């Protein structure tokens, strides 16, 4: 049998109420955050080993049967998709990415 604990009344919960920080005041969120690119070191530079890995990845993707629709750019005029340029601002396909990798277009990952 389990023994009951009659020492201090109801169980005490040591967690604080939601939204409270104890005696510390919460900092007000910034009204505006600078979203411009910061100058500094390039993170994940596209060196030769990384370029080879990316190239192998793109070749693997291109081999998949589901990739057939993503190998070439969409011919939106032929397909009659007049809203395509308005909706898709930066169209990209596997073939274009592979081509750009081969021409060292990407400076970083």
């Amino acid at each position: 049998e389990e023994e009951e604990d009659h020492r201090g009344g109801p169980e005490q919960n040591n967690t604080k109420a939601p939204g409270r920080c104890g005696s510390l005041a919460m900092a007000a969120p910034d009204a505006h955050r600078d979203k411009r690119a910061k100058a500094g070191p390039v993170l994940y530079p596209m060196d030769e080993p990384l370029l080879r890995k990316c190239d192998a990845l793109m070749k693997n993707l291109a081999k998949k049967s589901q990739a057939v629709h993503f190998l070439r750019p969409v011919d939106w005029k032929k397909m009659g998709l007049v809203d395509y340029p308005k909706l898709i601002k930066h169209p990209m396909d596997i073939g274009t990415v592979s081509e750009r990798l081969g021409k060292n277009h990407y400076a970083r990952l």
Side-chain angles (χ1 to χ4, degrees), residues 42-85:
V42 174
L43 296 177
Y44 307 109
M46 188 65 79
D47 57 0
E48 190 62 32
L50 186 56
L51 183 63
R52 283 196 304 267
K53 286 181 182 180
C54 290
D55 190 47
L57 174 71
M58 296 309 294
K59 285 179 181 174
N60 255 346
L61 281 174
K63 289 179 188 176
K64 306 288 182 191
S65 61
Q66 300 93 338
V68 68
H69 303 290
F70 304 99
L71 294 176
R72 288 179 294 291
V74 172
D75 190 356
W76 59 272
K77 290 178 185 175
K78 181 179 176 184
M79 297 173 80
L81 303 172
V82 294
D83 288 344
Y84 187 82

Side-chain angles (χ1 to χ4, degrees), residues 16 21-25:
K16 294 181 181 177
C21 294
S23 63
L24 300 174

